[in-house]
Amino acid sequence: MGILLTIDNGGTFTDVCASNGERISYAKAPTTPHDLTQCFVSCLARASRELYGEEDLGRLIGETDYLRYSTTSGTNAVVERKGQPVALIVEAGEEDKVYGAVQQFGTNNLWHSMVPRRPTGLRIGKDDAVDAGELLEAVARILQDGGQRLVIALRSAAAERAVKEILLERYPRHLLGAVPFLISHELDQDADDARRTLTAVLNSYLHPGMEHFLYGAENVCKQHRLAHPLLIYRNDGDSARVAKTTAIKTWGSGPRGGLEGTVAYARHYGIDTLVAMDIGGTTTDVSIVCDGRVKMDAHGKIEAATTSLSLPDMQSFGLGGSSVISVQDRKIVIGPESVGAAPGPACFGRGGKEMTLTDALLLAGVIDGEHYLGGELKLDPQRAKQAIEAKIAAELGVSVNEAVVAVIEAFQMKCAEHLTAVIRDAGKQPAEATLLAFGGGGAMIVTGIARAAGIRRVIVPHLAAVFSAYGIGFSNLAHEYRVPLHGRNPDKAALATAQATMLERARRDMYGEGVDPDACSFDFTLQWSVDGEVVSEALGDAALKRMSGVVDPSLHLKATYPLPSPALVADAAASAAAPAPAATAKVRTGGKTLEAVGVYPADSLKPGHAVEGPALIRDAYLTCLLQSGWSLRVTGNQDLMIEETSK
């Protein structure tokens, strides 16, 4: 087996995991928003250095079997309103309401960023006829006004096909004057006009920017002779080639990688309720796995937009290591604004003046400023002190030490509030849940967060700092297909015809992925929604009976080609004392200053080792403060299993 590579392109850092079958190496590179191909190449170069002892990008890619890649580009384009605006054609009379879609946004400005000009109305005649002259005149006006991309969203799929034929005849794809356009029913056959239109608009809004850099990344792989095409990880938990991936399916794909790893860990450790907390530089993403299953929203939301996509139930909050922390009305306020990686927290010394959690943790002694990111970046405690004095201590009338404690406790409490809400919404209680903490900041103060939330057991994965990239490794190469049944009770002949059509398309697509269709699995299910959640059952008489009268019934096909995935090592119950700490640190925690907290390098801890708090676990990218009243044991998989021993 060759090397397996997985990459998670985040807002602050781009993470990579490389497995050669014997060990997993990982690395981080600062994300370069101006050119995401640059950080893609940079993180691969760093991974090659970890594997070979020297930088050799060509060798790494040449020896790689599969490269799976997730990107935050789509998510960031929505958040920052930096996609490609589109021109929208709807049925006449829907120019202002757009089938009710516009009303969903309220004062949210996302709609006007995506569709800056009033949509164009098109009259639809009898039998879904379209007047070619009226259509071409409307398109000409749109192009004269500067429109560059079209979305055609009509109630009738037949009318949309008529529009497509006219446009292809007038603006054929082989001419430079071709007009990029998207037909809503070709993207999704959702019978709800508002959802289908929003999904098409979002996809078209994200498409150009993503296409540019993804094909750039793919070209890098081709130049260095990657064995199989670059695979894009999607928000449905699987991967496919760039050419077979729609832009909207990449939205939220990074956090989904962490969720995929969470599912694997829940099954590995036999945990009924596992809550994932991914603390990054800008956001904290929280999700929950109950009984080995992820709750899927039948119609996931992207901001205020209800889409045709089923999406995992994940909550994202504006809390991260680079979130701006201030005082308002004598209360500490965290985020949602973030200083990102540039200029970054004040302690980065890149011109940042705002106060962040990273600054507070440096002053508290939790973060080692001399070896941050493996020593790549030296942190400046004096700049952090200046920021907390000006932004927090002076505003509250307290000392710097008191301000440091107040900031950390405020962050812990805010995270705890979100965790408990997610757990209780799932019908569970914090005391029966286990917390899986990962991301750059997930482990740093996790015992404080868990205690505030009433959670008594925590797992910090041994690859916590790059866990979303690691989790992508559990995905397969797959495609999904859906045909709405629109509330009908189809007879078996109609279902058989639909199955045959879907199966033919699926086999063709899997062949296009470069794999043998006969080596793939093809699984048919019937799906519908109950209280907004997806219900899925194997196609059969029992499912057909239960489907009668349900909401949004559909026939679903998933074509899967299994890819190699990481092997999780079985746990062992035995415990042994850890080696002596390599150093000690002065740490400010819980309102106290502890003069000599033991510091344990993460790679010195082996399966079975046990450590009592207070202690610090550190490596190049991981920092974990184990507070008093907590203990940890290293599992067979080298994860940190942390439990509260006293309150």
Side-chain angles (χ1 to χ4, degrees), residues 183-351:
I183 301 295
S184 73
H185 279 88
E186 290 185 352
L187 182 67
D188 196 280
Q189 298 182 47
D190 191 345
D192 186 289
D193 298 316
R195 288 196 304 251
R196 190 184 66 255
T197 299
L198 284 170
T199 304
V201 167
L202 276 160
N203 190 80
S204 191
Y205 181 69
L206 300 178
H207 184 101
M210 299 198 64
E211 180 182 48
H212 173 74
F213 86 84
L214 285 179
Y215 277 108
E218 188 173 53
N219 284 335
V220 171
C221 295
K222 288 179 179 178
Q223 289 168 11
H224 294 287
R225 303 183 187 281
L226 180 66
H228 296 92
L230 171 67
L231 298 177
I232 305 304
Y233 181 70
R234 307 184 306 250
N235 55 28
D236 59 13
D238 287 301
S239 302
R241 288 176 54 192
V242 177
K244 295 288 185 179
T245 301
T246 54
I248 196 170
K249 295 291 283 186
T250 70
W251 185 90
S253 61
R256 180 62 196 257
L259 182 53
E260 208 67 27
T262 302
V263 172
Y265 266 57
R267 292 170 179 166
H268 179 67
Y269 287 108
I271 298 172
D272 293 334
T273 305
L274 186 58
V275 186
M277 179 181 69
D278 177 2
I279 301 180
T282 302
T283 61
T284 293
D285 299 312
V286 179
S287 54
I288 188 167
V289 174
C290 295
D291 302 320
R293 191 176 65 89
V294 176
K295 178 184 175 184
M296 296 292 294
D297 292 331
H299 301 291
K301 285 193 173 184
I302 296 179
E303 290 201 6
T306 302
T307 71
S308 302
L309 303 177
S310 59
L311 292 172
D313 185 11
M314 301 180 68
Q315 305 293 323
S316 186
F317 308 102
L319 301 168
S322 296
S323 294
V324 175
I325 301 178
S326 60
V327 174
Q328 297 177 19
D329 298 326
R330 296 192 59 78
K331 292 183 179 179
I332 293 175
V333 177
I334 307 169
E337 298 83 6
S338 171
V339 293
C347 61
F348 278 20
R350 296 173 174 170

Side-chain angles (χ1 to χ4, degrees), residues 479-481 499 502-503 506 520-527 536-539 555-561:
H479 285 285
E480 297 188 44
Y481 310 85
Q499 283 180 267
M502 295 168 75
L503 184 59
C520 302
S521 63
F522 299 92
D523 299 306
F524 282 97
T525 57
L526 291 174
Q527 295 188 355
S536 180
E537 293 193 19
L539 178 61
L555 177 63
H556 189 273
L557 169 63
K558 183 172 182 177
T560 305
Y561 180 80

Side-chain angles (χ1 to χ4, degrees), residues 54-75:
E54 61 180 0
E55 199 168 292
D56 193 337
L57 177 66
R59 178 184 174 189
L60 175 65
I61 295 179
E63 294 181 353
T64 294
D65 272 354
Y66 292 99
L67 197 168
R68 285 166 273 189
Y69 178 41
S70 82
T71 173
T72 190
S73 174
T75 306

Side-chain angles (χ1 to χ4, degrees), residues 19 99 292 387 408 473:
S19 172
Y99 316 115
I408 294 173

